[in-house]
Amino acid sequence: MRTLDETEVIELLAQDVVARLATVDAAGYPHVTPVWFLWDNDAYYVTSYLDRPHLDRIRSNPRVGLVIDTEHEQRADGERPNRQIRVIGDALVSVDSTGDWTRRIRRKYIDGSASPDAVERGLHRGRALITISPIEMRAVASV
């Protein structure tokens, strides 16, 4: 393993890859949820519909993990090089009352070829904003 340099970290955080959010239930078991995310101003931002169970788990225990990773095609030597950012931190749930965070995150993942209303879809249902303040981040590559 090697540490990613700053340019590699910035590039990985800008990609439209799915992150995995780990939360812990009342019995101490982990739950992993795939999420879209945005890194901005030293925090990770995720939005979710208000009725999702991971929001209750965060409210009960704000300690979370987040993994952002990519894996390349298999090389001739059998390796599948990967890059990853592993985060542990504290999460705060609030309401994305204006939908601005949801729009920003969706614009990262939804390109212009989608229907014109794709970014706005479902905003009337209300969205929660999860702000993850990292305590520790480890950015590594397999080779």
Side-chain angles (χ1 to χ4, degrees):
M1 295 293 250
R2 68 171 179 82
T3 302
L4 297 179
D5 65 38
E6 185 177 348
T7 301
E8 290 174 303
V9 170
I10 291 167
E11 288 173 358
L12 182 52
L13 291 173
Q15 288 184 12
D16 61 352
V17 296
V18 172
R20 287 141 189 99
L21 174 66
T23 57
V24 180
D25 70 15
Y29 289 99
H31 293 260
V32 179
T33 305
V35 295
W36 287 355
F37 76 95
L38 186 66
W39 168 255
D40 185 52
N41 202 22
D42 297 328
Y44 293 90
Y45 296 90
V46 173
T47 61
S48 185
Y49 288 112
L50 296 169
D51 61 351
R52 298 300 192 235
H54 56 270
L55 299 174
D56 290 333
R57 290 192 294 269
I58 291 170
R59 287 184 191 102
S60 295
N61 182 349
R63 294 178 179 157
V64 299
L66 190 71
V67 173
I68 300 125
D69 66 302
T70 61
E71 185 175 85
H72 299 282
E73 302 247 344
Q74 180 176 302
R75 299 185 316 203
D77 65 0
E79 290 285 334
R80 295 181 62 97
N82 68 64
R83 296 182 302 156
Q84 55 188 273
I85 299 171
R86 290 180 262 166
V87 178
I88 58 170
D90 294 316
L92 175 68
V93 176
S94 59
V95 176
D96 185 17
S97 58
T98 62
D100 289 343
W101 280 105
T102 299
R103 286 183 191 93
R104 285 183 67 188
I105 293 167
R106 286 179 177 177
R107 285 186 190 112
K108 176 183 174 187
Y109 289 86
I110 300 172
D111 68 27
S113 66
S115 67
D117 69 334
V119 170
E120 299 292 321
R121 187 176 303 123
L123 285 180
H124 67 280
R125 290 179 49 197
R127 300 285 290 183
L129 173 64
I130 304 167
T131 305
I132 301 168
S133 300
I135 292 172
E136 183 180 317
M137 293 194 309
R138 181 165 160 83
V140 296
S142 62
V143 290

